[in-house]
């Protein structure tokens, strides 16, 4: 047993230096390539169950570096808006100071919608959901009056409810109500939503898209009056919005996101079209517009700086007081949302900015109009993996060769290996930046750099091990050579050394 253990330890010690370190580098290449592939399993390819276990053990193994690189692509080249199809009517601090705190009575919100509709927009989307009845409605107030005020209570009950007033305004305007999908049931959630039909071309994509069982939506009376219902959910990764779903699953049906439903209402289209393959969603279409998506129905959003979009904001109080320009909202897509202090859902973008949630929906619509889509299709991940393995194999085959031009160059030029490594990585980064800039493709240069650098590093480790082993062997030989000499031999060596010193000094 001891002999077997010693043999195994000897084998393990020699393994890193075997065949100039190639087996060790090959193992590193395959191992890291597998980790990278599993960290971002391509959508549309059947996902083994053990990948979930891997995600729990090694969460985000390459994801942070990948997302950081993609964020920097956007910071270097933010989208420059080419059009302004969206106006945001903001319920801001100025509005709240003039019209009262939020939530408003529904009849006041109806007045705002009427004022917007008077300017003839193509669609009005509300980044607001109202699952509960308005407690300031006349019938609710009547229910709280004492018995002595029976006549007053009867008069109040004869008035239309605030929900009825708001429903009338929603019916008269090209309105879209927002809703929020939820994975958990609460007192205000439901399991269904009134939404426009979705026509699927190809394979049913319900298993590919983000899917939820519950939704926080407005009252059925308001849903019936509005011209559309849409989801407001965005995809968050470490607190940052990078992707937005255009369609989602609610129970056993597909429902649209706010940008798609706004386009449907604006174009008076009867339905939303989804083009899907067995691998997932390919595109989402409305009228003659088709938006390419990821297999799960999301799009990567190319953000414009908030500084470039400030002119799309109009204070709601200016709209209600008819102070906004008469043509400001004509033939525009108008989004109504909360931006007042403490009321809005603040979102972080890849540009490092904090924006109101309604701004994200506006940027999606603007991106569709401009046609500036970012894409990371499944074939790109496969191509990256093949490139990593192919380039890694080239390194493994070529670098250890002592007779190669590379080896001669490295021996002849000081610090050439560092210079060469930096040059190759800068070339890789520049190529990925250009592809992003002109084609909108997100190439994961970070994972390529990490894996290939570790493979190169494994050869340096092998060289250090060989150098250390060589030093130990030389020391052992010197010790054996010295210990094998007799006393007379040592005396002779000393006398010879003294004679050489005297001879040199007499010259």
């Amino acid at each position: 047993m001891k002999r077997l253990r010693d043999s195994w330890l000897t084998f393990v010690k020699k393994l890193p230096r075997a065949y100039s370190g190639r087996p060790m580098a090959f193992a590193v290449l395959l191992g890291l390539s597998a980790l990278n592939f599993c960290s971002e399993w391509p959508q549309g390819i059947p996902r083994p169950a053990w990948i979930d276990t891997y995600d729990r053990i090694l969460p985000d193994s390459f994801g942070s570096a990948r997302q950081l690189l993609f964020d920097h692509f956007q910071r270097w080249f933010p989208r420059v808006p080419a059009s302004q199809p969206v106006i945001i009517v903001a319920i801001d601090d100025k509005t709240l100071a003039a019209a009262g705190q939020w939530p408003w009575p529904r009849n006041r919100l109806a007045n705002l919608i009427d004022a917007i509709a008077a300017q003839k927009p193509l669609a009005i989307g509300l980044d607001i959901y109202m699952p509960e009845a308005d407690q300031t409605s006349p019938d609710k107030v009547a229910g709280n009056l004492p018995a002595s005020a029976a006549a007053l209570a009867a008069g109040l009950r004869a008035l239309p409810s605030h929900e009825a007033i708001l429903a009338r305004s929603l019916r008269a305007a090209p309105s879209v109500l927002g809703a929020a999908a939820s994975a958990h049931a609460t007192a205000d959630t439901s399991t269904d939503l009134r939404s426009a039909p979705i026509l699927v071309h190809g394979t049913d994509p319900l298993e590919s898209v983000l899917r939820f069982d519950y939704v926080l939506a407005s009252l059925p009376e308001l849903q019936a009056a509005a011209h559309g219902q849409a989801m407001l959910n965005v995809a968050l990764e470490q607190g940052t919005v990078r992707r937005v779903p255009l369609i989602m699953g609610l129970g056993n049906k597909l429902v649209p996101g706010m940008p798609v439903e706004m386009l449907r209402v604006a174009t008076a289209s009867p339905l939303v079209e989804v083009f899907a393959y067995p691998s997932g969603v390919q595109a989402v279409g409305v009228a003659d517009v088709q938006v390419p998506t990821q297999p799960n129905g999301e799009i990567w959003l190319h953000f414009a700086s908030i500084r470039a979009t400030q002119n799309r904001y109009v204070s709601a109080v200016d709209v209600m007081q008819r102070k906004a320009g008469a043509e400001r909202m004509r033939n525009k897509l108008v989004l109504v949302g909360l931006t007042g202090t403490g009321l809005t859902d603040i979102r972080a973008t890849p540009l490092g900015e904090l924006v109101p949630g309604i701004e994200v929906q506006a940027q999606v619509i603007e991106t569709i109009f401009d046609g500036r889509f970012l894409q990371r299709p499944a074939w790109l991940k496969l191509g990256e993996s093949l490139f990593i393995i192919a380039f890694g194999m080239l390194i493994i085959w070529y670098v250890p060769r002592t007779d190669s031009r590379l080896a001669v160059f490295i021996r002849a030029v000081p610090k050439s290996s560092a210079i060469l490594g930096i040059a190759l990585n800068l070339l890789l980064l520049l190529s990925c930046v250009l592809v992003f800039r002109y084609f909108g493709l997100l190439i994961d240069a970070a994972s390529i750099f990490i894996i290939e650098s570790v493979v190169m590093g494994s050869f340096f480790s092998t060289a250090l091990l060989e150098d250390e082993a060589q030093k130990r062997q030389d020391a052992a030989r010197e010790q054996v050579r010295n210990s094998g000499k007799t006393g007379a031999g040592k005396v002779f060596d000393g006398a010879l050394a003294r004679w050489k010193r005297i001879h040199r000094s007499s010259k």
Side-chain angles (χ1 to χ4, degrees), residues 152-196:
L152 177 58
L156 288 173
R157 290 191 176 95
L159 296 174
S161 68
H162 289 174
E163 277 77 26
I165 295 173
L166 179 57
R168 185 166 57 244
S169 297
L170 292 173
R171 192 174 291 109
S175 57
V176 178
L177 285 177
S182 174
H184 307 286
T186 66
D188 296 325
T189 57
S190 59
T191 58
D192 199 7
L193 182 75
R194 292 174 64 99
S195 59

Side-chain angles (χ1 to χ4, degrees), residues 395-406:
I395 291 174
I396 292 171
W397 171 74
Y398 195 74
V399 168
R401 295 180 58 189
T402 58
D403 59 339
S404 65
R405 294 182 179 179
L406 176 63

Side-chain angles (χ1 to χ4, degrees), residues 42-121:
Q43 297 169 354
I45 298 178
R47 179 184 172 96
W50 58 266
I51 295 294
D52 296 328
T53 304
Y54 160 80
D55 287 339
R56 288 192 297 269
I57 297 174
L58 292 173
D60 198 31
S61 53
F62 283 85
S64 295
R66 181 186 305 122
Q67 298 298 356
L68 182 63
L69 178 69
F70 293 166
D71 290 352
H72 276 83
F73 284 171
Q74 295 211 44
R75 293 180 188 185
W76 294 332
F77 297 103
R79 182 175 56 83
V80 178
S83 60
Q84 189 179 319
V86 182
I87 296 294
I88 293 179
V89 175
I91 302 176
D92 52 10
D93 290 332
K94 175 184 174 181
T95 300
L96 296 175
Q101 67 182 9
W102 188 265
W104 286 348
R106 302 277 161 78
N107 61 334
R108 189 174 302 163
L109 184 58
N111 292 337
L112 175 60
I113 293 174
D114 292 340
I116 296 171
Q119 296 200 29
K120 305 298 181 183

Side-chain angles (χ1 to χ4, degrees), residues 18-337:
Y19 299 100
S20 302
R22 285 189 174 97
M24 180 61 69
F26 183 71
V28 169
L29 174 64
L30 290 186
L32 292 180
S33 298
L35 289 178
N36 176 45
F37 192 85
C38 294
S39 71
E40 189 189 21
W41 192 268
Q43 297 169 354
I45 298 178
R47 179 184 172 96
W50 58 266
I51 295 294
D52 296 328
T53 304
Y54 160 80
D55 287 339
R56 288 192 297 269
I57 297 174
L58 292 173
D60 198 31
S61 53
F62 283 85
S64 295
R66 181 186 305 122
Q67 298 298 356
L68 182 63
L69 178 69
F70 293 166
D71 290 352
H72 276 83
F73 284 171
Q74 295 211 44
R75 293 180 188 185
W76 294 332
F77 297 103
R79 182 175 56 83
V80 178
S83 60
Q84 189 179 319
V86 182
I87 296 294
I88 293 179
V89 175
I91 302 176
D92 52 10
D93 290 332
K94 175 184 174 181
T95 300
L96 296 175
Q101 67 182 9
W102 188 265
W104 286 348
R106 302 277 161 78
N107 61 334
R108 189 174 302 163
L109 184 58
N111 292 337
L112 175 60
I113 293 174
D114 292 340
I116 296 171
Q119 296 200 29
K120 305 298 181 183
L122 295 176
I124 304 173
L126 277 70
D127 188 7
I128 300 167
Y129 30 88
M130 297 162 278
E132 297 177 339
D134 185 351
Q135 296 303 311
T136 66
S137 194
D139 58 328
K140 299 295 182 182
V141 175
N144 290 324
L145 293 177
S148 59
L152 177 58
L156 288 173
R157 290 191 176 95
L159 296 174
S161 68
H162 289 174
E163 277 77 26
I165 295 173
L166 179 57
R168 185 166 57 244
S169 297
L170 292 173
R171 192 174 291 109
S175 57
V176 178
L177 285 177
S182 174
H184 307 286
T186 66
D188 296 325
T189 57
S190 59
T191 58
D192 199 7
L193 182 75
R194 292 174 64 99
S195 59
I198 293 182
L199 176 62
V200 176
H201 299 277
T203 307
D204 185 1
L206 193 59
E207 296 300 325
S208 301
V209 300
L210 298 176
R211 195 170 174 182
F212 297 87
D213 294 323
Y214 305 99
V215 62
L216 186 63
S218 297
L219 295 168
E221 179 182 2
L222 302 178
Q223 290 189 47
H227 291 248
Q229 315 289 325
M231 295 296 194
L232 295 166
N233 297 66
V234 298
L236 285 176
E237 294 175 297
Q238 300 173 341
T240 300
V241 178
R242 297 181 177 92
R243 300 191 300 272
V244 177
L246 295 187
I247 58 166
M248 302 171 61
L250 179 61
N252 292 318
K253 76 173 186 178
L254 295 171
V255 291
M258 176 63 80
V260 171
E261 186 68 356
M262 290 277 288
L263 291 176
R264 186 193 69 80
V265 171
T267 57
S269 300
L271 49 78
V272 174
E273 296 180 280
V274 174
F275 302 86
Y277 291 150
S279 59
V281 181
Q282 182 188 27
V284 175
V286 176
D288 60 347
V289 177
Q290 284 191 20
V291 183
T293 68
Q294 298 295 113
N296 63 354
E298 295 178 342
I299 63 169
W300 286 81
L301 189 53
H302 193 179
F303 278 90
S305 173
I306 189 68
R307 294 185 295 274
T309 64
Q310 283 299 304
N311 58 350
R312 69 158 123 251
Y313 285 81
V314 180
S315 182
V317 67
D318 291 339
V319 177
M320 289 190 290
Q321 295 175 358
R322 306 303 196 270
K323 293 181 179 178
E327 298 296 318
R328 185 78 183 272
M329 286 176 272
R330 182 178 295 276
N331 295 328
K332 299 287 187 178
L333 301 173
V334 177
L335 288 167
V336 181

